[in-house]
Amino acid sequence: MSATYFKYIILGGGVAAGYAAREFASLGLCPGELAIISKEAVAPYERPALSKAYLFPEGAARLPGFHTCVGSGGERLPPEWYGEKGIELILNTLIVKVDLAQKTLESSSGNIFKCGTLIIATGATFIKLTDFGVQGADAKGIYYLREIDDADALIEGIHEKPGGKAVIVGGGYIGLELAADLIINKLDVTMVYPEPWCMPRLFTAEIAAFYEGYYQSKGVKIVKGTVATGFESDASGHVNLVKLKDGRELSADIVVVGVGARPLVSLFKGQLEEEKGGIKVDSFFQTSVSGVYAVGDVATFPLKLYNENRRVEHVDHARKSAIQAVQHIKATEEGKSIPEYDYLPYFYSRSFDLSWQFYGDNVGDSVVFGQTDPSVPKAKFGAYWIKDEKVVGAFLENGTPDENKAIAKVARLQPTVESKEALCASGLDFASKM
Ligand code: FDA
Ligand code: NAD
């Protein structure tokens, strides 16, 4: 079969793809030069909506409302936009084979695509409990969440079990955001996670205590320090029981699992350099193969601020890395150069009426300031992380846009602090006065 040629192909149709397409269009693109190939059925959208307003029982977010690039306050790109710009959206197309040296891609139905420059934007997928051989984990009624189809299946599951018992396995981002969604959907929710507190990859014990207390006040039951080791099902194969390692058993009508993500790199194994589970790239998101870039969740990139290569699984980096790669592609064509990627890590989450932002690095000692009593309405509190007497990370719950900007500035500038006590006493003022 002959190959369909494009000057540029973006493999993957998620967040990074949408922002890359917009950058190509703004820097100059001829019709027919760019194709996005995605296994999803819809044009790129802001994935974070799936674990938030998409699952609301009333007034839920629906496409085309959250196509990229609305998430960062930009113009929304509905499917027609791609047509107007002459960008080929090749949807419902799973790529199963890639030859990076030849820059050819083969789909599951045997179509061959070839390009001059390839941007890998395949993102990540959920880790499944069946991957660890958890007994009964393939039962009906056990849900994961990555793509819009997963969210639709979950909504159907919620509708089938009104008022039912839900068990959430995992205490990270998915666990916390989905526990809130299911409470709002009037399910009886229990969270189970192995660590002593939720969101351990970011939260300190004190920060976590606030969110756990708040969730409990909304009716979420929390079981910590244990894992799901097996599931039992009814005669129709639908889950009805979760067995825990500590011997306890939880009845369940629905189970949602969020035990981490795995970058989708297997198509490229042995063809390029990898590091820390991702595709190793330079400050312009070029991989070790000429003319091949990797952006978003799959890329392990130089985090200049910390002089270290890292992979980041968050939306802000997906957007910015895509823009950086496209700017580099276009600049190189014109014989120009662009500055290196100089990223300040930024993570956020929203659930119930809570909303936090974090900037920088959560290493070293930490101090917490403000109102950490979850029973106080609209409590505002924050934290700083201090390493080598410098503030390297900052967290704020319920901040205003200006306050969030202030904590971002602190994390970027890394000011020196006299003492933890003084920092704790000045709290948010420390950031606001910078
Ligand atoms: P992304 O996953 O967005 O896109 C990858 C695309 O590639 C998908 O369309 C996929 O189908 C496609 N693909 C993969 N393999 C393919 C193949 N072989 N052939 C064809 N297509 C293929 N972050 C944050 O900072 N704040 C938040 O609130 C949230 N919320 C959130 C909620 C949920 C439910 C999830 C799953 C994730 C988040 N995130 C987040 C993380 C954020 O969404 C994530 O970091 C970005 O979507 C990453 O963008 P990418 O474009 O790299 O991957
Ligand atoms: P995560 O890494 O945030 O959390 C995984 C959690 O799984 C751990 O904290 C732990 O509690 C739990 N866990 C691990 N092994 C377990 C086991 N065997 N049994 C029970 N629990 C176990 O991953 P996630 O919450 O699954 O999120 C998936 C992806 O989606 C990540 O890339 C994340 O960044 C992204 N996401 C981000 C946001 C956000 O930034 N607001 C929101 C949703 C999803």
Side-chain angles (χ1 to χ4, degrees):
M1 188 182 274
S2 68
T4 310
Y5 180 84
F6 296 94
K7 187 173 181 187
Y8 315 108
I9 288 180
I10 303 172
L11 172 52
V15 172
Y19 282 77
R22 184 182 66 175
E23 194 64 17
F24 268 121
S26 84
L27 295 178
L29 194 66
C30 297
E33 278 187 339
L34 171 63
I36 294 177
I37 306 179
S38 177
K39 65 182 164 69
E40 291 193 82
V42 294
Y45 57 89
E46 301 284 359
R47 197 165 303 288
L50 296 184
S51 54
K52 302 174 187 69
Y54 197 79
L55 298 177
F56 287 177
E58 278 157 32
R62 285 291 176 269
L63 291 176
F66 61 98
H67 279 299
T68 56
C69 301
V70 283
S72 55
E75 183 199 353
R76 184 166 56 86
L77 312 181
E80 311 82 77
W81 178 87
Y82 295 86
E84 285 158 20
K85 299 288 173 194
I87 298 170
E88 199 82 34
L89 263 185
I90 304 171
L91 302 175
N92 291 308
T93 301
L94 173 71
I95 295 299
V96 291
K97 212 165 142 191
V98 174
D99 182 334
L100 291 182
Q102 298 300 319
K103 297 200 183 52
T104 55
L105 296 82
E106 187 177 336
S107 75
S108 56
S109 52
N111 292 322
I112 314 270
F113 305 94
K114 189 169 171 63
C115 62
T117 301
L118 175 67
I119 301 181
I120 299 171
T122 43
T125 189
F126 39 72
I127 295 171
K128 295 188 90 168
L129 291 177
T130 44
D131 299 343
F132 313 128
V134 175
Q135 186 210 343
D138 53 355
K140 282 184 237 160
I142 300 181
Y143 298 93
Y144 295 83
L145 180 60
R146 181 79 200 181
E147 299 188 346
I148 208 157
D149 287 353
D150 306 318
D152 290 338
L154 175 58
I155 290 167
E156 215 180 301
I158 292 170
H159 289 161
E160 279 169 12
K161 303 282 177 185
K165 287 185 188 306
V167 174
I168 308 245
V169 179
Y173 285 97
I174 291 282
L176 284 167
E177 293 182 8
L178 270 287
D181 291 323
L182 297 191
I183 284 282
I184 295 165
N185 277 280
K186 299 197 173 4
L187 275 83
D188 175 3
V189 179
T190 304
M191 292 181 76
V192 181
Y193 43 87
E195 298 92 352
W197 62 79
C198 65
M199 193 76 84
R201 67 176 163 131
L202 177 62
F203 291 176
T204 64
E206 204 176 345
I207 296 175
F210 171 87
Y211 292 98
E212 289 177 353
Y214 189 94
Y215 272 54
Q216 281 161 334
S217 76
K218 293 285 182 186
V220 178
K221 282 161 257 172
I222 298 179
V223 179
K224 303 191 241 186
T226 191
V227 292
T229 50
F231 298 90
E232 280 182 10
S233 305
D234 61 19
S236 72
H238 195 285
V239 69
N240 61 9
L241 191 81
V242 184
K243 295 199 248 174
L244 305 182
K245 195 176 181 185
D246 67 7
R248 277 186 273 182
E249 295 182 337
L250 303 169
S251 49
D253 298 305
I254 183 169
V255 173
V256 178
V257 184
V259 294
R262 182 170 55 78
L264 287 169
V265 297
S266 60
L267 280 174
F268 322 106
K269 280 270 172 242
Q271 300 189 57
L272 39 59
E273 274 182 53
E274 290 184 35
E275 191 181 322
K276 297 183 176 169
I279 298 172
K280 188 178 177 188
V281 295
D282 65 11
S283 299
F284 309 105
F285 293 91
Q286 298 181 103
T287 69
S288 56
V289 180
S290 167
V292 178
Y293 290 70
V295 296
D297 281 9
V298 284
T300 302
F301 64 97
L303 218 163
K304 202 174 168 186
L305 196 55
Y306 309 128
N307 196 22
E308 195 185 303
N309 287 349
R310 287 200 198 164
R311 205 168 60 72
V312 171
E313 289 175 359
H314 290 277
V315 75
D316 178 61
H317 161 70
R319 295 167 179 155
K320 289 178 175 156
S321 58
I323 292 168
Q324 173 78 353
V326 174
Q327 288 183 352
H328 187 258
I329 291 166
K330 297 302 273 185
T332 306
E333 286 171 2
E334 293 162 15
K336 295 182 185 154
S337 60
I338 61 163
E340 289 182 328
Y341 193 60
D342 187 8
Y343 187 61
L344 173 68
Y346 163 46
F347 317 143
Y348 71 90
S349 183
R350 290 192 301 273
S351 57
F352 295 117
D353 58 353
L354 303 170
S355 172
W356 60 257
Q357 298 202 359
F358 168 82
Y359 295 87
D361 213 8
N362 58 319
V363 291
D365 285 344
S366 60
V367 291
V368 172
F369 59 84
Q371 179 53 264
T372 54
D373 179 350
S375 66
V376 173
K378 286 275 167 201
K380 182 176 293 195
F381 74 96
Y384 296 112
W385 279 260
I386 307 142
K387 194 181 164 210
D388 301 331
E389 293 169 6
K390 287 176 177 169
V391 182
V392 294
F395 174 97
L396 189 60
E397 165 60 41
N398 189 23
T400 63
D402 281 347
E403 289 165 347
N404 287 326
K405 259 189 220 155
I407 62 159
K409 195 171 169 192
V410 167
R412 167 62 77 180
L413 297 179
Q414 303 188 344
T416 306
V417 278
E418 286 163 29
S419 71
K420 274 174 65 173
E421 292 69 28
L423 185 60
C424 185
S426 63
L428 192 51
D429 276 355
F430 178 82
S432 303
K433 286 181 183 156
M434 287 228 34

